[in-house]
Amino acid sequence: MPKLTVDGIEVEVPAGTTVLQACEAAGKEIPRFCYHERLSIAGNCRMCLVELEKAPKPIASCAYPVADNMVIHTDTPGVKAARRGVMEFLLINHPLDCPICDQGGECDLQDQAVGYGFDHSRYEENKRAVKDKNLGPLIKTAMTRCIHCTRCVRFATEVAGVAELGATGRGEAMEIGTYVEHALTSELSGNMIDLCPVGALTSKPYAFVARPWELSRTDGIDATDAVGSNIRIDSRGPQVLRILPRLNEAVNEEWISDKTRFSNDGLTRRRLDKPWIREGGKLRPASWNEAFAAIAARTKGLAGDRIAALAGDMVDVEAMAALRDLMAALGSGNIDCRQDGARIDASRRDFYLFNTTIAGIEQADAALLIGTNPRREAAVLNARLRKRSLAGRFPIGLVGEGADLTYPYAHLGDGPAALAALLDGSSPFLEALKGASHPMVIIGQGAIARPDGAAVLAAAWTIAREIGALGAAWHGFNMLHMAAGRVGALDIGFLPHGGGRDRDGILAGAGNGEIDLVWLLGADEIPMDRLGRAFVVYQGHHGDAGAKRADVILPGAAYVEKDGTWVSTEGRVQRAARAVFPPGEAREDWAIIRAASAALGHALPYGDIAGVRARAEALGAGRLDAPLGGGCIDQGGPSGDPRMLGTEAFAAPVTDYYRTDAIGRASPTMAACAASVAPTSAVAAE
C-alpha cells in the first residue's frame, strides 16, 4: 500500500485511494462541493485544491490518485489563496439570498465561505439569472444558486438509475435541467436535496416552514416499507415537519425513498383523535369507557372461535404481542398478520426472511426475481441491486410482470410456467444461475399472495437449492416483504394457532356469520365488504377503509408517535423513539389493548412498555434474538408442493407506489406525486 506524508503526518492507504481520502485519513479536513464518496468523481468545483511537492501548481485532491512518497500540504499560504480564489469565483453569480433560502443553516456554501472565502468581492458586473426548472411536486428549484457541482446529475444517473437530469450549454450558459421539462420519475429523487451543497434544490413541501435550529430531532425507523431505513424525524411542537435519512451502511446507506421522506404531511390529515361508536348506522364521538363498554357488551358470552383479529402492515411488535395475548385470553386462535393472504410458511424463520441481507447483495453474483418489482416495493433495496449490477458480472432474471427496474435483466416469463422451466432444467437462464458462486433468489408478495402461493414458495426454495444458493456459508433464498410489521408479526407468532382461522378463513367466517367480532389493528388493506355483519373494532390512526367499516373506533398512534420495535425484511430488529405525541385522545396501541383487556375482564399482566417488550421477546425467543445472515443449515423446504403451480401470471402487488398505506393516502404530497407520474410500461429487458 502506498505511503505518503500529509502535513508532516505519514499515512498508509490502499492503492487507488485519492489524495483527498488520504488527507482525511490523516485527520485533515478538505473542503469540497462536487466530491461525494458514493458518486463518481467529477472534479468540477476545485475547492479541494492542495499542494503536492514538486508539482507545478495545486492539484484537485478528489481526482488525484495517491502514490508512494508523496508529500502533501493542505494549509500553506498557496493553498489558502487558491481556495479563496475558487470561492470568489463560485460567489460571482450566486445571488447571496441566504435570509430567504431554505438551505440556510445547513448550507455547505455558507459554511465554506466562512472558513475559506474572502470578506469581500471584486466582481462588479451584473449577476446571471437562470430560469427555475419544474422537477415535480417534491423538489423546489432556484437554479440561479446552482454552482454546477453535478451531484444531482450523477445521483440520478448512477444511484437512482433514471437519467433524467443533465447539463445544457457551456461556461456561464450552462444549466442543469431535465431537457424536456417533466417531473422526475425516480422513487429516490428527494435524496438530491440532501446532496445539493447550496440552495438550488430544496424540499418543495417544506419550503419556508422552519429553520433547522427550531427543530427537535429524533432517531426513528421508517415504517412505510419493510426495508427498515434509519431516519431522523424533525419536529416542532406537536407536528413532524420533515424526515431525513440517517447513515446505516448495512441498511439504507444514506438514502431514503420519496415515500419515506415526503408522506409526513399525511400524519396531520384524516386523523382519528377520539373514540367513536356506531349507533343507528352513524358514528358518534364517545369516551374511552363507552368504547370499551361497547366492545365488552358485544364479546360477552361469545365463544373464542367467534372472535378474530387481523394486524395491519405498519403495526409495531409491542402492539401485536398485546393483541395476541388478548385474543388468547378470549380463547381465540383466529389471528393473522397477512392482510394480502400471502401463503407464508412460518415454521422456520429463513422461509420468510431476506436471508442474504441487504448489504449481502453486494456479494451476490447472480439473481432471480420472482413475482416482485423491487423498485416499487423497496426502492432503497432496489438501489443496492442496481449498485451491484453496475459492478458487473451480475446476471439478473425476472419471472413476473415486466417493468423498468433501472438495471438490465432477462425477462424469463410472466408466471409459473417460467418457474416450471427452471425446475425441469429447460430454462436457458439456469446456466447463469448454476455458474454463480453466490446466487440469490428473491421472491415477492405478488408471487405468494395467491391460491397457489404455497406451491410457488416451495418452487422458489427448490430452485434456490438446485442452483447452489443454499450453502453452509451462504443463504441465497430471500423473501422481500412490503409491510414494515410483517416480519415482526411472524416472529412472535401472530398467526392462526390451535385450529384458528387465517385471513381468508376469518373473512369467510365473518361473511357467513360464523365470526361475530373482528378486531382490526391498523388493518386497512383487506376487502371490507367481506366482513359481512360482524362487529368490527378498528384500532388505528387514520380515517381510512377500516374506520369507515368500524362499529367501534379506538384512536391509535402512528409510527412516529410511539416507542416501538419493527423487524425489517432481513430480520433486523430495530427500535424507534417517539418524536411527537399522538393527537387528541389517541394513545399508543399496546396501551389501548391493555386498557381494553381490563374492561373485558382479562387484564393483561403488564402495565408498561418494558413489560410488553419482555413479553414480545418471550414470544419471539429464538427469532428476534437470532443473528443476521449466515448459511442455510437445513435445506428442507417449505410445506407447499412445487408441482401444484397454477397458470395465472404473477400480478404486481403495488399499483400506486405513493399511496400504499393510510398515511400516504392522506398525504396531499403523495397525491400530487401520483398525479404527476404517468404510468409507464417500459421494460428494461435484455
Side-chain angles (χ1 to χ4, degrees):
M1 296 198 299
K3 291 183 180 180
L4 66 159
T5 302
V6 179
D7 290 346
I9 302 171
E10 187 175 280
V11 292
E12 186 175 5
V13 294
T17 300
T18 64
V19 171
L20 186 150
Q21 292 169 318
C23 291
E24 292 191 331
K28 300 297 178 179
E29 179 183 348
I30 305 296
R32 82 292 298 267
F33 289 112
C34 68
Y35 174 80
H36 192 279
E37 55 269 17
R38 301 189 195 278
L39 303 177
S40 62
I41 294 172
N44 293 340
C45 71
R46 321 307 284 184
M47 194 65 201
C48 63
L49 293 175
V50 297
E51 280 190 1
L52 170 62
E53 280 194 5
K54 299 181 181 179
K57 60 182 180 179
I59 63 170
S61 60
C62 70
Y64 207 97
V66 298
D68 260 331
N69 302 318
M70 271 186 171
V71 180
I72 304 294
H73 300 285
T74 68
D75 200 30
T76 64
V79 169
K80 292 178 180 179
R83 290 174 181 171
R84 281 197 298 268
V86 169
M87 181 60 68
E88 186 176 8
F89 276 119
L90 289 175
L91 295 178
I92 280 176
N93 282 310
H94 195 79
L96 304 179
D97 53 355
C98 303
I100 62 166
C101 177
D102 272 321
Q103 198 82 345
E106 298 173 318
C107 178
D108 290 346
L109 186 62
Q110 274 186 335
D111 297 340
Q112 295 187 37
V114 170
Y116 303 99
F118 274 129
D119 60 355
H120 63 279
S121 174
R122 294 172 288 179
Y123 190 74
E124 297 178 353
E125 287 77 12
N126 292 329
K127 293 177 181 286
R128 75 168 191 161
V130 180
K131 179 184 176 182
D132 293 341
K133 309 298 189 294
N134 182 12
L135 301 185
L138 301 180
I139 299 179
K140 180 175 181 288
T141 61
M143 301 312 292
T144 303
R145 301 171 184 159
C146 179
I147 62 171
H148 301 158
C149 71
T150 69
R151 281 187 180 183
C152 56
V153 176
R154 285 174 284 148
F155 174 84
T157 304
E158 298 164 13
V159 179
V162 180
E164 295 175 335
L165 279 179
T168 57
R170 299 186 67 183
E172 191 176 74
M174 177 179 171
E175 295 185 17
I176 303 294
T178 55
Y179 301 118
V180 292
E181 294 289 337
H182 68 83
L184 296 176
T185 60
S186 170
E187 297 79 14
L188 299 168
S189 64
N191 294 290
M192 299 178 195
I193 297 170
D194 297 336
L195 289 172
C196 184
V198 295
L201 305 179
T202 55
S203 172
K204 188 173 285 187
Y206 180 69
F208 310 122
V209 170
R211 287 298 195 184
W213 52 85
E214 301 177 297
L215 304 176
S216 298
R217 296 168 174 81
T218 309
D219 290 347
I221 301 299
D222 173 41
T224 62
D225 61 30
V227 174
S229 297
N230 287 213
I231 58 176
R232 191 188 87 193
I233 304 161
D234 286 356
S235 59
R236 183 177 61 190
Q239 189 174 352
V240 173
L241 297 183
R242 67 175 179 178
I243 292 177
L244 299 176
R246 282 190 293 129
L247 178 67
N248 189 325
E249 296 288 354
V251 182
N252 57 303
E253 297 180 300
E254 59 185 271
W255 319 125
I256 54 173
S257 70
D258 288 347
K259 185 165 56 175
T260 303
R261 183 186 298 266
F262 294 108
S263 66
N264 61 284
D265 59 346
L267 291 166
T268 59
R269 292 167 171 84
R270 297 169 58 183
R271 288 303 302 269
L272 300 172
D273 59 358
K274 61 172 68 72
W276 296 77
I277 296 176
R278 190 177 299 277
E279 291 181 352
K282 294 184 178 180
L283 289 169
R284 70 164 179 87
S287 67
W288 280 105
N289 289 335
E290 286 179 305
F292 292 149
I295 299 171
R298 195 67 183 82
T299 58
K300 187 176 181 180
L302 274 186
D305 61 359
R306 303 189 71 83
I307 301 172
L310 292 169
D313 292 346
M314 303 179 76
V315 184
D316 55 293
V317 172
E318 291 86 353
M320 289 185 287
L323 185 56
R324 184 186 189 279
D325 284 350
L326 176 57
M327 289 296 113
L330 294 172
S332 174
N334 303 324
I335 62 173
D336 205 345
C337 62
R338 300 163 294 185
Q339 284 193 96
D340 54 2
R343 271 62 173 179
I344 298 174
D345 186 341
S347 60
R348 272 174 41 193
R349 201 174 190 231
D350 60 343
F351 288 162
Y352 59 81
L353 285 191
F354 201 94
N355 297 287
T356 299
T357 72
I358 296 172
I361 291 172
E362 298 185 30
Q363 301 176 30
D365 51 6
L368 173 66
L369 311 181
I370 302 173
T372 182
N373 180 341
R375 181 175 175 182
R376 296 287 186 265
E377 298 166 27
V380 173
L381 184 145
N382 192 66
R384 189 84 72 151
L385 284 168
R386 172 173 169 77
K387 180 180 179 181
R388 177 61 189 88
S389 178
L390 290 176
R393 297 186 179 181
F394 187 57
I396 302 173
L398 172 66
V399 178
E401 190 174 305
D404 179 3
L405 299 182
T406 72
Y407 42 80
Y409 61 84
H411 192 207
L412 308 182
D414 293 327
L419 291 184
L422 288 164
L423 288 169
D424 64 24
S426 61
S427 172
F429 192 72
L430 195 62
E431 183 178 346
L433 293 172
K434 287 187 173 180
S437 58
H438 294 90
M440 62 188 299
V441 174
I442 302 176
I443 184 168
Q445 303 304 296
I448 58 176
R450 41 188 277 149
D452 65 340
V456 174
L457 179 61
W461 182 276
T462 303
I463 292 169
R465 183 173 57 219
E466 293 301 316
I467 64 175
L470 307 179
W474 174 258
H475 203 317
F477 179 83
N478 303 285
M479 182 176 290
L480 180 58
H481 292 276
M482 299 183 297
R486 180 72 57 85
V487 174
L490 296 171
D491 282 346
I492 66 169
F494 200 93
L495 294 165
H497 57 270
R501 298 171 181 255
D502 62 7
R503 174 260 198 187
D504 291 337
I506 291 170
L507 293 177
N512 61 27
E514 295 176 357
I515 297 289
D516 293 321
L517 184 144
V518 180
W519 193 303
L520 301 180
L521 179 58
D524 292 293
E525 316 303 328
I526 63 171
M528 298 296 170
D529 57 345
R530 294 182 59 187
L531 291 173
R533 300 173 62 86
F535 187 86
V536 176
V537 178
Y538 177 77
Q539 180 180 340
H541 41 78
H542 276 75
D544 207 71
K548 293 177 182 177
R549 173 59 184 83
D551 295 288
V552 174
I553 296 175
L554 306 177
Y559 72 102
V560 298
E561 299 165 352
K562 55 187 172 183
D563 297 310
T565 304
W566 283 268
V567 187
S568 71
T569 190
E570 62 178 346
R572 186 180 298 273
V573 180
Q574 301 183 108
R575 282 182 177 164
R578 179 177 57 209
V580 294
F581 286 92
E585 299 178 42
R587 297 293 183 266
E588 295 189 10
D589 290 307
W590 75 266
I592 294 173
I593 296 166
R594 171 61 181 81
S597 70
L600 298 178
H602 298 280
L604 298 177
Y606 33 78
D608 56 21
I609 188 70
V612 71
R613 278 183 174 165
R615 174 58 178 159
E617 290 168 1
L619 291 171
R623 298 195 176 199
L624 291 175
D625 54 355
L628 293 181
C632 180
I633 300 173
D634 181 0
Q635 295 191 8
S639 58
D641 186 347
R643 297 170 297 179
M644 302 300 292
L645 295 172
T647 57
E648 187 178 350
F650 297 137
V654 177
T655 56
D656 186 347
Y657 163 75
Y658 296 102
R659 294 180 290 190
T660 57
D661 53 66
I663 297 174
R665 287 189 288 270
S667 165
T669 301
M670 294 295 96
C673 288
S676 69
V677 181
T680 57
S681 57
V683 179
E686 291 178 331

